[in-house]
Amino acid sequence: MASSRLRVKLKSYDHRVLDEAAAKIIDTALATGAKIIGPIPLPTARTMMAIKESPFTDKDAQEHYEVLVHKRLIDIIDPSPRTVDSLGNLDLPAGVSIEIKM
């Protein structure tokens, strides 16, 4: 039988909060006896925005803003039902988006 795997993708605007959430997930999975691969840092998505300071004149007067989305990937190999339950009840910091795939 092929080994099962949970793939956890984490996204956040703040890399420190993201690393803290990844550490919590890894500690929880290791406590239930699962094997871990990761956290693997994925490329940071960078979005630039230029906003005009004036409504219709002075087109050259613009403010530039940048939004960074940091991402991490964690693979959990051979998770037990206890691992899945503990991940479902995990309290993660605010501002972290989590996506779990089988």
Side-chain angles (χ1 to χ4, degrees):
M1 181 177 169
S3 64
S4 62
R5 175 183 71 178
L6 283 178
R7 177 159 278 183
V8 180
K9 286 186 183 180
L10 301 168
K11 293 181 185 179
S12 178
Y13 295 119
D14 188 5
H15 67 90
R16 285 169 266 144
V17 174
L18 186 65
D19 291 334
E20 179 184 323
K24 276 188 177 182
I25 290 173
I26 289 172
D27 291 341
T28 303
L30 288 176
T32 58
K35 296 179 217 156
I36 298 290
I37 297 176
I40 301 168
L42 297 176
T44 302
R46 180 176 171 228
T47 305
M48 293 287 294
M49 293 176 275
I51 301 189
K52 295 178 183 168
E53 291 181 353
S54 174
F56 57 92
T57 58
D58 298 327
K59 182 180 178 186
D60 294 333
Q62 296 180 357
E63 289 286 329
H64 295 276
Y65 296 100
E66 179 180 49
V67 177
L68 298 174
V69 178
H70 301 277
K71 297 177 256 182
R72 301 287 185 269
L73 180 70
I74 301 171
D75 281 338
I76 302 174
I77 309 295
D78 294 330
S80 65
R82 200 172 116 215
T83 305
V84 176
D85 287 341
S86 61
L87 285 176
N89 296 331
L90 194 62
D91 186 30
L92 292 178
V96 176
S97 170
I98 183 169
E99 179 183 327
I100 300 175
K101 287 186 180 177
M102 282 293 234

